[in-house]
Amino acid sequence: MPLAILALALGAFAIGTTEFVIMGLLPEVATDLDVPISTAGYLISAYALGVVIGAPLLTALGTRLPRKTMLLVFMGVFLVGNLATVLTSSYGAVFASRVLAGLPHGAYLGLAALVAAHLAGPARRATAVARVMLGLTVANIVGVPAGTLLGQLLGWRVAFLVVVALSALTILGVARFVPHTPASRVGGLRGELSALRHPQVVLGLTTAVFGFAGVFAVYSYISPMMTELAGMPSAGVPIVLALFGVGMTLGSLVVGPIADRWLRPTIYVSLASLAGVLALFTLTVHNPWTAAVTVVVLGAVGFGVTAPLQVLVMSKAEAAPTIASATNHSAFNLANAGGAWLGGLGIGMGLGYVSPAVIGVVLALVGLGIAVTAGLVDREGPGAAPTPEHRDRAAGADAEPVSHG
């Protein structure tokens, strides 16, 4: 199982790298494509658009395929999308390639989390999911800075060529080490879509949208906040971004085992902590040292809620968790776009660069309120983790022994 989890996490690493590396290469992209930086920025939105559309769509289309086959198909589409980014030269073609690359993002991560949870068993589901998502966080420490540096030195397309290579390695690793698991046995697309009607799934997805938007209300504007408010030189911003990635990694490592024992309480504490850290950031952001420390903590508490929410949605989807798991990543990308928009709205209204943190506090508290409400109305009780029987169903109706192949 460790090699299978590592192969799945490598795919997450490639996905995290391609999603965020373009943010550090926008000037190079804009110059090469002969468009303003603001127009080049729409390429970030293009990728997010692909994620939101692709997560439910590709998952739905693949419901009758074995899960290992689905993983290979999704990573193949991801490879083709990034290769198209490398080979195309016009802005419109690059835009289309970013949409294509984003389509399998949520579908792959959602299914990878589901497969990892199935392989780990009910007692270690959250830990296994956190290990896969660790690929995303490590990408922000290693992949994004390294890709940015390579792109600045050798041309921005080189960064995406590296992603293509990572995608190919992931395909080889999944093919070799991930065991075969059969297709879902819940009635295909109709059965999978039924999961989205479960009130607890809806509440879980809504929690992700609002709660996680609090993180991106700040993260989207961390560069001007550091330079304008903390007085940090622009050369220090990449270090701060790497520190944010360190915090993400620590949060993923710590929260997974805790959530295995106390699922809902972990979500409550993470969201409450997120609101508290964002409120603290309005004070600490005026000093470069305190701001940098707070950024690490923000990464930890912000991304510490992702694995527990993923497990909750999979559990409440019962025997049809595949599309719910993938749609959860659409929810996180809606949070990304919504948080960035609301944070920018505060700045645009003349409220200053502190306003995104204040807005983030409100969003985190709304997410906490939704999470608590979901717990109170849950038949299993406000703090209950899924029962073993419930968790076995959520791990997939295909609970028979798996075979390698």
Side-chain angles (χ1 to χ4, degrees), residues 329-343:
H329 289 279
S330 290
F332 282 124
N333 272 267
L334 284 175
N336 185 339
W341 178 74
L342 289 171

Side-chain angles (χ1 to χ4, degrees), residues 206-343:
T206 309
T207 300
V209 170
F210 282 94
F212 210 62
V215 177
F216 277 95
V218 169
Y219 184 67
S220 301
Y221 304 97
I222 197 70
S223 180
M225 292 177 80
M226 291 294 102
T227 55
E228 299 294 330
L229 298 180
M232 182 178 293
S234 57
V237 173
I239 298 175
V240 172
L241 296 178
L243 289 174
F244 185 79
V246 170
M248 292 166 58
T249 303
L250 293 175
S252 297
L253 289 172
V254 171
V255 168
I258 297 174
D260 279 326
R261 297 190 63 183
W262 303 287
L263 184 58
R264 283 198 187 273
T266 302
I267 295 172
Y268 302 156
V269 171
S270 295
L271 289 169
S273 299
L274 174 59
V277 171
L278 288 169
L280 181 64
F281 194 50
T282 63
L283 303 176
T284 61
V285 72
H286 299 286
N287 178 279
W289 296 105
T290 57
V293 172
T294 309
V295 165
V296 176
V297 182
L298 176 61
V301 299
F303 281 76
V305 75
T306 56
L309 275 176
Q310 186 82 32
V311 171
L312 178 67
V313 168
M314 291 190 302
S315 299
K316 295 306 178 183
E318 296 182 332
T322 311
I323 200 167
S325 178
T327 304
N328 197 42
H329 289 279
S330 290
F332 282 124
N333 272 267
L334 284 175
N336 185 339
W341 178 74
L342 289 171

Side-chain angles (χ1 to χ4, degrees), residues 111-137:
L111 187 57
L114 190 64
V115 171
H118 175 77
L119 294 175
R124 292 179 57 82
R125 299 182 72 223
T127 299
V129 171
R131 294 295 183 267
V132 171
M133 297 308 158
L134 195 62
L136 289 175
T137 66

Side-chain angles (χ1 to χ4, degrees), residues 12-334:
F13 179 86
I15 286 172
T17 299
T18 202
E19 181 178 17
F20 294 110
V21 73
I22 194 170
M23 297 177 184
L25 294 172
L26 279 183
E28 288 78 11
V29 173
T31 300
D32 183 62
L33 298 179
D34 195 24
V35 296
I37 287 184
S38 59
T39 302
Y42 294 146
L43 297 175
I44 301 172
S45 301
Y47 185 88
L49 176 65
V51 177
V52 173
I53 296 173
L57 177 62
L58 291 185
T59 303
L61 292 175
T63 51
R64 294 192 180 278
L65 294 175
R67 287 171 177 169
K68 180 175 179 176
T69 302
M70 290 172 65
L71 286 169
L72 293 171
V73 170
F74 295 157
M75 190 50 57
V77 174
F78 179 76
L79 186 154
V80 170
N82 282 281
L83 184 60
T85 299
V86 174
L87 298 178
T88 52
S89 57
S90 69
Y91 175 80
V94 173
F95 187 97
S97 75
R98 299 317 296 154
V99 175
L100 178 61
L103 287 175
H105 174 121
Y108 175 86
L109 291 177
L111 187 57
L114 190 64
V115 171
H118 175 77
L119 294 175
R124 292 179 57 82
R125 299 182 72 223
T127 299
V129 171
R131 294 295 183 267
V132 171
M133 297 308 158
L134 195 62
L136 289 175
T137 66
V138 174
N140 281 271
I141 301 174
V142 180
V144 173
T148 300
L149 180 61
L150 285 174
Q152 291 172 340
L153 293 176
L154 304 175
W156 66 271
R157 286 183 173 83
V158 173
F160 294 96
L161 188 59
V162 172
V163 173
V164 171
L166 292 171
S167 306
L169 287 175
T170 299
I171 290 173
L172 293 175
V174 169
R176 174 64 180 85
F177 298 114
V178 174
H180 171 78
T181 52
S184 172
R185 299 189 306 183
V186 296
L189 176 58
R190 180 177 298 180
E192 288 285 347
L193 288 175
S194 67
L196 299 182
R197 296 197 297 267
H198 193 300
Q200 289 295 322
V201 172
V202 174
L203 288 170
L205 295 174
T206 309
T207 300
V209 170
F210 282 94
F212 210 62
V215 177
F216 277 95
V218 169
Y219 184 67
S220 301
Y221 304 97
I222 197 70
S223 180
M225 292 177 80
M226 291 294 102
T227 55
E228 299 294 330
L229 298 180
M232 182 178 293
S234 57
V237 173
I239 298 175
V240 172
L241 296 178
L243 289 174
F244 185 79
V246 170
M248 292 166 58
T249 303
L250 293 175
S252 297
L253 289 172
V254 171
V255 168
I258 297 174
D260 279 326
R261 297 190 63 183
W262 303 287
L263 184 58
R264 283 198 187 273
T266 302
I267 295 172
Y268 302 156
V269 171
S270 295
L271 289 169
S273 299
L274 174 59
V277 171
L278 288 169
L280 181 64
F281 194 50
T282 63
L283 303 176
T284 61
V285 72
H286 299 286
N287 178 279
W289 296 105
T290 57
V293 172
T294 309
V295 165
V296 176
V297 182
L298 176 61
V301 299
F303 281 76
V305 75
T306 56
L309 275 176
Q310 186 82 32
V311 171
L312 178 67
V313 168
M314 291 190 302
S315 299
K316 295 306 178 183
E318 296 182 332
T322 311
I323 200 167
S325 178
T327 304
N328 197 42
H329 289 279
S330 290
F332 282 124
N333 272 267
L334 284 175

